[in-house]
Amino acid sequence: MQYRPLLSAVGLCALTVWSASAHAQFADKRNSPTLYLQAGIAERDARAVTIGSTIPMDWKTFWWGHPVTAHWDMSLSAWNSDRMEQEGSRTIAIVGLVPTMRFHSKSQYPWFVEAGLGGYVSSKLYETRDKRFSTAFNFGTHIGVGYFTGMRRESEWSVRLEHLSNASIKRPNPGENFVQLRYARHF
C-alpha cells in the first residue's frame, strides 16, 4: 500500500493536535495546535504540497507590547520536480521539524509575522533539470506573514518564503526556494 505512510502521518498529526488542544494559552485560538495544508512552487520546475501540524511551546513573551509565541511545526511534504526530458518528473517525500517564533500584532489586529529554522529529511535526493541536492538531510529557514480569520481566530492564512539547503555540509549545495500559501485550522 503506497498510501500507508501518508495515512500514518495524518493520524499522528491528528492525535498530536487532539492531545495538545487543552494547552491553548489565549482566550482566542491564536496559540493553539493546528492542522494545516500548504502548497507552493519553487524557482523553477518544482511544486510542493504539505500537510502538517503545529504544537505550541510553553513560551510567551512581549516585544514592544506585542505578544511573541513559539511553536513546533511538523510536516510531511510531497515535492514534484521536472527532470531531464527523457526522465520525466519525480516525486519525493520530505519530513520536517521546525521550531518557529511568531510575532503577533496587538490583540485587536489579526496579523502576524513568523520565522523558523529547522531540519528536513527526504526519501530520495532532490533533483530538477538544473540542480541536484547531495544530501537527504537539509536545513530549512522560512519567513512568513499571515492573517487570522473567524470569530475566535480559529483559521489562519499565510504566505511563506522558504529556503532549503544542506548548509554546505556536502557539495553540491544548490538549495531550493519556495513560495508557499498555507491554510491552518486551530483547535
Side-chain angles (χ1 to χ4, degrees):
M1 275 198 159
Q2 62 187 18
Y3 296 107
R4 186 172 289 160
L6 180 60
L7 293 174
S8 297
V10 170
L12 179 61
C13 288
L15 179 63
T16 304
V17 168
W18 175 78
S19 66
S21 63
H23 301 297
Q25 297 175 359
F26 287 95
D28 59 23
K29 299 281 190 172
R30 289 183 295 175
N31 198 38
S32 60
T34 70
L35 286 177
Y36 66 82
L37 181 61
Q38 176 176 289
I41 56 172
E43 297 169 81
R44 353 156 92 174
D45 304 330
R47 295 140 308 274
V49 175
T50 304
I51 60 168
S53 176
T54 63
I55 304 300
M57 293 182 196
D58 191 20
W59 181 83
K60 179 180 169 187
T61 191
F62 288 86
W63 290 351
W64 304 291
H66 297 267
V68 179
T69 61
H71 63 264
W72 292 102
D73 190 324
M74 301 175 294
S75 63
L76 174 64
S77 299
W79 287 14
N80 179 271
S81 59
D82 296 332
R83 299 189 313 170
M84 297 300 187
E85 292 174 15
Q86 67 271 20
E87 296 181 27
S89 67
R90 176 182 190 186
T91 301
I92 62 171
I94 298 181
V95 176
L97 181 62
V98 180
T100 301
M101 289 183 62
R102 185 173 277 183
F103 182 85
H104 299 268
S105 59
K106 293 192 177 181
S107 62
Q108 68 268 29
Y109 303 108
W111 290 95
F112 65 85
V113 175
E114 69 177 26
L117 167 65
Y120 293 85
V121 178
S122 60
S123 61
K124 296 178 183 171
L125 294 181
Y126 172 71
E127 63 181 283
T128 69
R129 291 180 188 165
D130 301 330
K131 56 180 86 171
R132 184 174 199 272
F133 280 20
S134 59
T135 58
F137 175 78
N138 290 283
F139 296 97
T141 58
H142 78 269
I143 58 171
V145 61
Y147 188 80
F148 292 101
T149 61
M151 293 291 290
R152 296 181 63 211
R153 297 184 181 174
E154 65 274 4
S155 296
E156 71 179 56
W157 293 90
S158 61
V159 174
R160 300 160 41 103
L161 302 174
E162 187 168 29
H163 173 78
L164 276 87
S165 72
N166 70 18
S168 296
I169 293 171
K170 188 175 180 184
R171 298 278 180 199
N173 181 31
E176 188 66 274
N177 297 311
F178 282 92
V179 175
Q180 300 167 323
L181 177 63
R182 175 184 287 194
Y183 170 75
R185 177 73 178 181
H186 291 259
F187 294 93

